[in-house]
Structure formats: structure tokens, C-alpha cells
Amino acid sequence: NSFVTRTNTCGELRSAHVGQKVTLYGWVQYQRQGLFLVLRDFQGLTQIIIPQDEAHSHVKELLSNAPVESVVRVTGTVSPRPPGQENPKMPTGDIEVKAESAEILNSCKKLPFEIKDFVKKSEALRMQYRYLDLRSFQLQSNLRLRSRMVMRMREYLCNLHGFVDVETPTLFKRTPGGAKEFLVPSREAGKFYSLPQSPQQFKQLLMVGGLDRYFQVARCYRDEGSRPDRQPEFTQIDIEMSFVDQAGIQRLIEGLLQHSWPDERGSIVTPFPSMTYEEALAEYGTDKPDTRFGMKIVDISDVLRGSDIRFVQNALSYPHGSIRAICIPQGVRYLTNKDLESLKESAKSQFNQEIMEIIRRPDGSLKSLLTKFLGEREQSELIQALNMEGDDVVLLAAGEHKQVCSALGTLRLLSANLLEAAGLALRDPMAFHFLWVVDFPLFLPKAENPTELESAHHPFTAPHPSDASLLYSDPTEVRSQHYDLVLNGNEVGGGSIRIHSAEQQRFVLEKVLKEDSEVLSHLLEALGFGAPPHGGIALGLDRLISLIVDAPSIRDVIAFPKSFRGRDLMGNAPDYVTPEELEPYHIQVSWPLEEKEAKKN
């Protein structure tokens, strides 16, 4: 309080302050019948007793009539609450302040919604009046925790490990591959800047420049359109190091998270477990597994290989054919027939994958369309392979390995949601399961044209040392030095060891990805001037914080987020500009016909 005119905050007064004269500033949270009010500031709540005597009648009138959320100054004496009226739920619940003078600094008009965490309000309304929503306890708590974590990260990187905090440019040029970038017009006709989707090139150039260890709390931009729980502008903890390997980056990040982890969220154990991309896909059907619960995908190809089931034999006849299944514990008890049908429909609509179900009755027998094709030995092996108990439900899929695993991975998560909705505790919201996923493929076939390749991570990722020769003969078989950090089934970080050879980088861009290397001529030239081996990682700060505080959306850990359509509902951005304002940028807007008509009217 040394820089302000209050003597104390509304959250710090205790019994030890009884008898002291104090001055508090805050918002009127609640007022009751002209007898008392609760004053709130960033630190907490204090009960203010409104005087009833004639000498203080002006104070009584002023505080009794102050609208909720008005800003007031109150001066008075700290007193103990009468016996039996203490409030153990409030840190200040043993005291109250008897008001002697008061001033309304700013009266509040009628609110669009109540400033209470338990009051339901639409997200659109919350974002339109974000400055009011920020007064809620939950958002205040989230933003303060975020601030503390970032400060500890700076301390760990800069003070303990010699990193240099460098701001990189926001106006740059287009990067090949990756997400779409926002364009910013320049005064040179036809020329545009791009807002970087990450400081990737700059941090590599800083390593060429000999800085050795760089970090930044970086603002990044991606024009991803209407995607739920994504933001067009977001923040990442961006890191790059010279003369480092994958294990070194992983140890650094584990130490960084341990150092910055909030005390109130318990402790995290290091080193984090690790699994390969292939293992993650085979056991969880995704490259970001949620390892807080079981229900792993099980390969039952060998169990059913000798059966006469036609679709099984068809699947196994393909080069990458496989039969896999997940076992839903107590599925009969917790899932309805409608639930099971919705799971099958999801597999069909998203993956074009048929699903068969098998139920184990309480007496141990199996109920399924498949049982008439299976002998007792095969049924017993199936029960053993899937570790089936009574009332468990098995979902079985047959077909191409990656499609089968992806479908079952999605059904695993949907089943977990259904089980929890029905009352089965499966995932502890206070458990934090970190996992490294490694050995990704360096390239993947493009979805729109499978004969062409794209980078699985980005075009600057180095090949796995064991696979380096394959880069020139069979690039589809090359593993990368790319690693992802996963927390509770969400990717919270990704990085790689980079290509530091100009020749190899040029080959990847021109021969493998068929990109125009001229766009990256500055980087290619830099790599030719003695670039050190280097690597790095970026942690998605918004996602990480939202998981730590168990927020329903990343918008709940960002002070001024955009809507899922990328709009600022409070300031109504983006907005129209006049033709005169566009003229210096040599731009004319071509309006769709319906918008032309709307603007006329």
C-alpha cells in the first residue's frame, strides 16, 4: 500500500488489526437493509458496518443508497465481530470495519449481469462486457496465477540458466507451410507483411548470431477461422538453445515446469514418461494421449486370425490390416443402448469405420453377433487379452491400422465422457499426467493430395540421426527429431532439433516439400555462415494455464480474448475502414453483393 492512498486492502485485515483506524477502497459487493455492506477489491472482502447514529446520518444515507458495484472509499475502525457472527469462510471473517466517513468515487449504473461466479451468463455477454467479467473471483485468480507462473519461468530461464529475453519482430514475411498467416498491407503496392505464427526463423537466426540461449513470452498469430477453443492471437513460451540435443531440451522443460508450478496444485514428478508416436497411435489412437485412465487399444489380430469371420479375414489380408478393440469398464451399467449407437455412429461418420460390440455378461459368457463364429478357446483368449470383467463392453474395429486406431482412440475419449456423465469417476481433474511423445515421422502425405508430402512439424525440423540417409532415398520412412509435450490429452508444447546445414535445408524445401526456397533465402544464407547445431521448443501458455486451473476454455485465462469466430465483441473488431484510409495501401474492397445491399440500407 506504499504507493496508494488506502491503508489496507479488503483482504488483509485480521483480529490483530482490531482498534486500528483504516481507509479502504473497493467495490460494493453487497448491501443489506442499510445495516452493513461488503466491500471488495482485488485481494478479498471486508464487512463494513453502516453507522445508525444521528451524527453519522450522512454516511448512512450515502452507503445505504450506493448501487452494487459502485466504487467507494470508507474510513473507520476495525472491530471484532460479535460472538457467534464470525464467518470462517472469509479470511477477514473475524472482524468488521465500523464506518466513520465514506465517499462514493463512482456510482455504478444498472449492470448487464451480476458479478458473481455462480451466476450463469452467456459467453457473448461476458465478452461484450469483459471489463465487468474481469471483476469475478475466478478470472482474477486465473490471471494472477498466470502472472506468477510467467514470472517464475523468467526467473528460472534468465537468472538460473543464462537465457536472454529477446523481442522478435511482429511484422515479417510469409513462411511456407504451417497455418495461414494474417496479412498486413504496406505502402508499397502489392507488398504485404505477415504476422508470424511463431518466432521460428528469428530464434534460429539468434542462434546463428551466437546468443546461445534465447527465450521470449511471444505473441503469435494464426488465421485459423472459426475453430472452437482456438485464438487468432495467442502466447507461447518460446525457447531455443545451441549445442543441445533432444534429451537436454526435455530436461530443461521439466525443470522449468517444476520451478514454476503453482504450490496449490501439488507437485509434479520428473522425469516425465515418454512414448513414441507409433506407440501412442497403437495404444491410444492419437499423438496426444490422455494417460489418466486406462481403456487402452488392444491388438487382438492374433486371437481372431484363425476365425471364419469374413470382415476379420478381409481386414487381415491388407498389408497394414489389423483387428483392435477397447474395453469399456462397467459399460452395461453406465451406458445406454442410445449411447452405444452414438459411439458407433461417430466412428462411421468421422472415420468410415464399422464397430462391433461384445458384452461380457455377469455369468462370464459373451453376448455378440460374433460369438457364434468363435470357439470356447477363442472366446477365452479374447476375454484374457482384453481383461474383460462382468458387465464390460468391448468395441471392436477391423481395417487399416491407422484408421482403426484413430477411430478407437476417439471412441475411447467419447466413452470416458459418457461414463463420467453417468457418474463413474474416471479422470481426476486435479491429476496432471505429463508425457513426451517422440519419434514422429518427418513428413506426412498431404490430405488433399497424398502423393505430395508436407512437414509433420515444420520444414526446419532435423531428421533422426539413424534415418538421415533415408532422407534422400525414402523420405516417407524418416523419423524426425520432433518432440511434443502432452498434458492430460492436450498438446501443451512442441519442438525439435533443427536442420543447421544449408544444403540439407535446401534439399528438404525444394526436393521433398516442393516449396520455393527463395522465400527463405535469408535463412538458407545464414545457415551457410557457420550455424551451430541448435534446437528448441514452444509451450502454449494459454492452454497450459487453462489445464492447470481446470478452465472450460482458454478464453478464461486470457484477459481480452476473441470469440470463436475471431471477433472482439467488446470493441467490435475487426471493423470497416473508409476507402480514404485504404488508399495509401493501394487496396480496394470488393464487396459481396449481399453486403453491398446491406451497406446501402
Side-chain angles (χ1 to χ4, degrees):
N1 298 309
S2 50
F3 307 111
V4 292
T5 50
R6 64 180 172 230
T7 60
N8 301 86
T9 67
C10 293
E12 68 178 291
L13 296 176
R14 302 291 188 272
S15 297
H17 297 93
V18 167
Q20 292 183 16
K21 192 164 187 174
V22 295
T23 297
L24 307 180
Y25 288 78
W27 286 264
V28 176
Q29 168 107 343
Y30 172 76
Q31 190 266 118
R32 184 175 179 185
Q33 296 176 349
L35 299 174
F36 69 87
L37 60 81
V38 174
L39 199 62
R40 183 195 74 245
D41 68 5
F42 74 96
Q43 201 172 52
L45 308 169
T46 297
Q47 183 165 290
I48 308 294
I49 299 300
I50 299 172
Q52 303 297 311
D53 59 305
E54 190 61 36
H56 294 94
S57 58
H58 63 291
V59 177
K60 178 181 179 181
E61 183 181 357
L62 189 141
L63 293 179
S64 299
N65 295 318
V68 169
E69 290 303 312
S70 296
V71 185
V72 301
R73 174 191 59 77
V74 174
T75 298
T77 303
V78 182
S79 305
R81 290 199 186 190
Q85 292 185 24
E86 299 91 347
N87 185 348
K89 293 180 181 177
M90 283 175 69
T92 60
D94 289 334
I95 61 92
E96 56 195 16
V97 172
K98 292 187 173 174
E100 294 163 15
S101 67
E103 179 185 0
I104 295 184
L105 302 172
N106 207 334
S107 186
C108 180
K109 62 185 182 181
K110 184 173 169 53
L111 293 162
F113 54 78
E114 288 188 78
I115 315 290
K116 290 176 183 173
D117 287 304
F118 59 83
V119 173
K120 295 276 186 201
K121 50 247 181 201
S122 75
E123 183 145 47
L125 198 62
R126 287 177 59 199
M127 292 179 71
Q128 184 182 348
Y129 296 96
R130 189 62 169 183
Y131 43 84
L132 294 179
D133 201 30
L134 284 169
R135 295 182 190 176
S136 70
F137 169 79
Q138 194 57 63
L139 278 187
Q140 290 261 331
S141 172
N142 293 350
L143 292 176
R144 291 177 194 284
L145 181 141
R146 177 180 175 132
S147 172
R148 289 195 302 274
M149 276 198 75
V150 170
M151 184 54 70
R152 287 185 188 176
M153 286 177 174
R154 286 185 188 278
E155 177 184 80
Y156 179 85
L157 293 167
C158 294
N159 297 354
L160 301 183
H161 293 288
F163 279 75
V164 184
D165 184 354
V166 180
E167 299 95 2
T168 53
T170 301
L171 294 174
F172 194 46
K173 63 188 288 188
R174 186 183 70 83
T175 305
K180 278 190 176 179
E181 295 171 332
F182 286 102
L183 298 177
V184 179
S186 78
R187 290 173 182 263
E188 293 185 62
K191 291 189 176 181
F192 292 79
Y193 296 105
S194 281
L195 300 182
Q197 51 189 292
S198 81
Q200 182 61 46
Q201 294 180 54
F202 292 111
K203 62 181 183 177
Q204 290 191 240
L205 293 167
L206 287 169
M207 297 305 101
V208 178
L211 257 75
D212 194 71
R213 297 182 174 198
Y214 143 92
F215 112 96
Q216 181 183 185
V217 181
R219 298 294 286 163
C220 305
Y221 308 88
R222 290 182 189 169
D223 187 5
E224 296 190 303
S226 302
R227 295 187 63 176
D229 217 26
R230 289 287 181 98
Q231 287 286 296
E233 51 184 325
F234 55 97
T235 307
Q236 61 189 35
I237 305 296
D238 203 48
I239 291 170
E240 198 80 4
M241 296 175 77
S242 296
F243 311 111
V244 71
D245 60 11
Q246 183 168 311
I249 296 281
Q250 289 173 337
R251 284 198 307 273
L252 172 82
I253 294 304
E254 288 167 359
L256 172 71
L257 287 168
Q258 252 188 338
H259 185 85
S260 60
W261 198 254
D263 298 332
E264 61 269 33
R265 289 298 186 269
S267 58
I268 52 175
V269 178
T270 58
F272 301 153
S274 178
M275 73 171 61
T276 67
Y277 168 81
E278 290 296 342
E279 288 169 339
L281 188 66
E283 294 185 2
Y284 296 94
T286 175
D287 58 6
K288 42 180 184 288
D290 189 344
T291 56
R292 287 175 296 172
F293 68 106
M295 288 172 57
K296 288 185 186 179
I297 298 169
V298 179
D299 186 353
I300 54 171
S301 301
D302 290 340
V303 176
L304 299 180
R305 199 176 296 278
S307 72
D308 295 327
I309 306 169
R310 183 176 295 174
F311 77 87
V312 167
Q313 295 307 323
N314 285 347
L316 293 177
S317 68
Y318 294 118
H320 299 289
S322 105
I323 317 296
R324 295 183 179 250
I326 57 170
C327 182
I328 304 172
Q330 300 296 292
V332 173
R333 188 179 303 176
Y334 288 99
L335 302 183
T336 64
N337 287 333
K338 187 179 176 184
D339 290 334
L340 292 172
E341 287 306 314
S342 76
L343 292 171
K344 291 180 189 177
E345 180 53 39
S346 294
K348 182 70 176 169
S349 61
Q350 292 182 50
F351 302 96
N352 195 27
Q353 179 65 55
E354 296 290 347
I355 299 291
M356 297 289 291
E357 68 186 77
I358 305 171
I359 292 170
R360 189 176 189 196
R361 298 185 181 99
D363 65 6
S365 64
L366 298 183
K367 176 190 172 187
S368 173
L369 294 173
L370 299 179
T371 49
K372 62 183 176 184
F373 300 103
L374 302 174
E376 279 189 29
R377 184 177 61 81
E378 287 168 322
Q379 290 191 34
S380 176
E381 287 178 4
L382 198 61
I383 289 168
Q384 196 171 351
L386 290 160
N387 200 20
M388 290 179 76
E389 304 282 344
D391 283 341
D392 285 358
V393 174
V394 163
L395 301 179
L396 179 150
E400 191 273 327
H401 169 72
K402 191 169 183 180
Q403 177 180 304
V404 162
C405 291
S406 298
L408 288 176
T410 297
L411 296 189
R412 176 179 176 266
L413 295 175
L414 292 174
S415 301
N417 293 342
L418 290 169
L419 290 173
E420 288 182 335
L424 182 66
L426 204 60
R427 295 169 290 195
D428 181 356
M430 292 308 293
F432 297 98
H433 286 220
F434 282 99
L435 173 75
W436 289 108
V437 179
V438 300
D439 289 355
F440 283 81
L442 188 56
F443 306 109
L444 292 170
K446 285 185 177 178
E448 65 276 13
N449 185 359
T451 60
E452 294 182 6
L453 296 178
E454 63 185 0
S455 297
H457 186 45
H458 57 52
F460 315 114
T461 300
H464 196 286
S466 308
D467 299 348
S469 61
L470 289 171
L471 181 64
Y472 304 97
S473 58
D474 193 357
T476 58
E477 293 300 312
V478 180
R479 291 169 298 162
S480 68
Q481 294 189 70
H482 160 203
Y483 32 84
D484 275 354
L485 183 60
V486 175
L487 172 58
N488 296 354
N490 296 268
E491 182 192 331
V492 292
S496 66
I497 302 301
R498 323 299 186 189
I499 296 171
H500 66 279
S501 153
E503 293 76 21
Q504 191 178 75
Q505 184 66 79
R506 189 181 297 277
F507 179 84
V508 166
L509 288 168
E510 294 179 355
K511 304 300 183 187
V512 181
L513 300 176
K514 307 289 193 287
E515 292 278 2
D516 178 9
S517 64
E518 191 57 35
V519 181
L520 292 167
S521 58
H522 56 284
L523 180 64
L524 290 167
E525 187 174 20
L527 293 178
F529 286 112
H534 57 284
I537 193 169
L539 298 179
L541 185 64
D542 308 312
R543 179 83 53 210
L544 177 64
I545 301 295
S546 71
L547 292 169
I548 290 171
V549 301
D550 195 26
S553 163
I554 60 170
R555 292 189 282 276
D556 291 318
V557 298
I558 300 170
F560 297 101
K562 304 287 187 292
S563 73
F564 86 98
R565 294 188 187 279
R567 292 192 59 80
D568 179 340
L569 301 181
M570 180 182 67
N572 195 30
D575 205 354
Y576 297 109
V577 295
T578 64
E580 292 74 27
E581 289 171 295
L582 287 175
E583 195 174 335
Y585 303 107
H586 314 282
I587 291 174
Q588 281 186 311
V589 177
S590 176
W591 295 100
L593 189 59
E594 60 271 20
E595 289 197 36
K596 268 187 187 173
E597 294 303 318
K599 285 180 75 65
K600 273 184 196 172
N601 299 330

